[in-house]
Amino acid sequence: MKAIIFGVTGQDGSYLSELLLEKGYKVVGVNRRASTNNTCRLEHLLDNKDFSLIEGDVTDFINVSSIINDQQPDEVYNLAAQSHVATSFNEPVHTWRVDAEGPLNILESVRRYSFNAKFYQASTSEMFGKSVDQDGYQRETTQFEPQSPYAIAKLAAHHKVRIYREAYGMYACSGILFNHESERRGEKFVSRKITKWVAEFKNWLNDENKPFDAQIDQDNIISVMHPDRTFPKLRLGNLDAARDWGYAPDYVKAMWVMLQQEQAEDYVIATGTSRTVRDFIRIAFDFIGIKEWENLVVVDPEFYRPAEVEFLHGDYNKAKAEIGWSPETSFNEMVKRMVEHDINNSKKCQQNTTLT
Ligand code: NAP
Ligand code: GDD
């Protein structure tokens, strides 16, 4: 079996590559040319004879269609996206090109040049936006009410997948995945921003060889004993937003299972539990033994969004019943792994060294 992964260099692309290689696939990853190394999540796979990379960009139809035509894959996973919701407000046109036109380029290429290939699209819980069913869950039948340029572009792609399935009979499906995080999560997403800060703070306290008895001054600086030894506070936006957070390696299994069915269908993939950003912070600090974290965090309007999705809470019962998928890793275990990883690997594989 041969699979093409668009978006191979991202969090999910790296885990999905590992999963497919374990299953004996030949994996062809498509990555964008970059002036700096963007394959740090894939370093451990680069010598695998069944894994290869080709340069490509989903916004370029000629490029995408050549790749599909040349490779004749059995399965195509489109994980490529401008995936940061806040960024999509500043870069709406770019986000549209990558997140809406990109999937169209792939779908049309598969239809023309590799019709029997099965296609997976990375849809998102962001498409629900403000909409929640009366019982407090979002599921496959919940109305979509997108709240960002990102969500609108993803919703356009979601409908295109359905149309290619219904109009042309292609095996094309979308996983409506709720938030999923990991040690490989991009550092601008709130989960990793928190775990990296907590880990760096812990390492800084250790370097200072002091227990946590820091002075916290008015200038948003934490200092230990000496005014020159300072550490900036963690600056975040909306702490009350609630997300249904799962663990990325569990979620890529769902992508693969969705392509192994008799018929293509869309599925919600979630944990069924919703927590606030505040909960995430509390649990991350708990792992380094800090209970009183409020004074270490600054709520900064810079990190608020022009429009927010306040509440996400997924019902994954259709996936459980029909394709046998359930989440395996608990929320606390996931946060623990992320904090521990960031304490031990603070200098490795940094996609972004600033905490934005
Ligand atoms: P990610 O880490 O941001 O990865 C996105 C990938 O897309 C990267 O490999 C990126 O390449 C690539 N990409 C961006 N623009 C591209 C272009 N023009 N052409 C080709 N590749 C391009 O995202 P993720 O967390 O792995 O998520 C994977 C997919 O699932 C995304 O589509 C995301 O929107 C969707 N999703 C994610 C979640 C979640 O919670 N993680 C939930 C629901 C849906 P570079 O390395 O070059 O930037
Ligand atoms: N990024 C970020 N940075 N978010 C913050 C911050 C901050 O400093 N402070 C508070 N938040 C809040 C955001 O306002 C949002 O409500 C929540 O934390 C989660 O933000 P992100 O981690 O950026 O994720 P997201 O929910 O917007 O989007 C992620 O999940 C979607 C699925 O629901 C991304 O992975 C999307 O690509 C994905 O589709």
Side-chain angles (χ1 to χ4, degrees):
M1 293 285 276
K2 186 197 272 188
I4 295 185
I5 303 177
F6 291 90
V8 71
T9 55
Q11 169 187 260
D12 292 3
S14 66
Y15 287 119
L16 181 64
S17 298
E18 283 169 18
L19 180 77
L20 296 180
L21 289 168
E22 272 166 33
K23 292 185 182 297
Y25 278 66
K26 292 205 178 308
V27 175
V28 179
V30 181
N31 75 321
R32 291 190 291 178
R33 195 208 78 84
S35 62
T36 52
N37 177 22
N38 63 356
T39 55
C40 65
R41 293 183 177 105
L42 301 170
E43 293 299 331
H44 58 301
L45 302 179
L46 295 178
D47 289 337
N48 188 315
K49 66 175 178 25
D50 291 328
F51 182 75
S52 57
L53 289 175
I54 36 180
E55 245 175 50
D57 191 306
V58 294
T59 61
D60 184 333
F61 179 74
I62 302 289
N63 169 250
V64 171
S65 57
S66 304
I67 291 170
I68 298 289
N69 197 13
D70 292 349
Q71 296 294 330
Q72 291 298 308
D74 299 292
E75 296 175 5
V76 178
Y77 296 85
N78 179 33
L79 313 181
Q82 189 303 95
S83 70
H84 199 258
V85 175
T87 299
S88 77
F89 287 97
N90 297 325
E91 300 179 22
V93 175
H94 171 71
T95 302
W96 178 262
R97 288 197 178 127
V98 180
D99 296 8
E101 293 177 16
L104 179 59
N105 289 336
I106 303 172
L107 278 165
E108 188 56 26
S109 300
V110 171
R111 185 178 81 82
R112 287 171 189 234
Y113 304 117
S114 190
F115 187 81
N116 290 324
K118 294 179 167 182
F119 175 79
Y120 172 87
Q121 165 63 14
S123 283
T124 165
S125 47
E126 274 288 306
M127 300 185 308
F128 296 121
K130 287 198 286 195
S131 178
V132 188
D133 284 356
Q134 279 193 340
D135 64 357
Y137 285 90
Q138 288 123 343
R139 48 179 62 87
E140 292 81 359
T141 50
T142 304
Q143 190 184 323
F144 296 121
E145 237 181 292
Q147 291 295 300
S148 65
Y150 168 79
I152 290 168
K154 282 285 189 178
L155 183 55
H158 186 77
H159 284 306
K160 281 174 212 149
V161 172
R162 178 179 56 76
I163 286 164
Y164 271 70
R165 181 170 66 221
E166 292 173 359
Y168 303 121
M170 279 171 55
Y171 192 115
C173 64
S174 298
I176 307 174
L177 271 55
F178 283 62
N179 297 50
H180 45 282
E181 319 297 313
S182 74
E183 301 89 317
R184 299 183 196 167
R185 184 58 143 152
E187 294 169 15
K188 281 180 74 174
F189 298 96
V190 77
S191 60
R192 190 79 196 286
K193 185 172 166 182
I194 295 166
T195 63
K196 271 199 68 95
W197 190 95
V198 165
E200 284 170 13
F201 184 56
K202 166 82 173 155
N203 287 342
W204 177 75
L205 285 174
N206 284 352
D207 288 349
E208 296 297 325
N209 202 18
K210 288 276 175 282
F212 178 56
D213 59 353
Q215 304 295 309
I216 300 164
D217 69 21
Q218 298 293 317
D219 300 327
N220 299 326
I221 294 275
I222 306 155
S223 59
V224 172
M225 301 304 283
H226 189 283
D228 292 341
R229 294 181 199 146
T230 60
F231 197 89
K233 289 188 182 182
L234 172 57
R235 307 185 80 83
L236 295 170
N238 182 7
L239 306 190
D240 297 318
R243 291 289 180 273
D244 181 326
W245 274 295
Y247 190 49
D250 294 349
Y251 283 42
V252 299
K253 291 180 188 167
M255 299 175 187
W256 176 77
V257 176
M258 275 184 229
L259 293 199
Q260 312 312 312
Q261 306 305 309
E262 285 288 307
Q263 281 195 324
E265 282 203 40
D266 302 336
Y267 291 95
V268 158
I269 300 298
T271 70
T273 306
S274 186
R275 294 180 174 81
T276 62
V277 173
R278 204 179 290 281
D279 293 332
F280 198 112
I281 300 170
R282 180 174 51 73
I283 289 167
F285 272 106
D286 208 40
F287 284 119
I288 63 163
I290 292 178
K291 302 280 180 209
E292 306 295 325
W293 55 267
E294 276 85 356
N295 281 334
L296 303 174
V297 175
V298 177
V299 173
D300 185 337
E302 184 189 334
F303 299 110
Y304 274 80
R305 293 171 184 181
E308 175 66 291
V309 171
E310 293 290 349
F311 180 76
L312 290 176
H313 187 202
D315 170 3
Y316 68 91
N317 273 314
K318 180 181 173 195
K320 188 177 176 184
E322 294 183 11
I323 60 172
W325 182 90
S326 293
E328 292 163 36
T329 312
S330 74
F331 179 74
N332 283 29
E333 175 62 22
M334 176 185 78
V335 179
K336 179 167 174 271
R337 285 185 198 178
M338 291 174 71
V339 172
E340 280 176 355
H341 171 89
D342 285 337
I343 288 174
N344 297 325
N345 299 276
S346 60
K347 297 282 180 284
K348 283 192 197 155
C349 195
Q350 298 204 2
Q351 302 97 43
N352 182 350
T353 50
T354 51
L355 287 169
T356 49

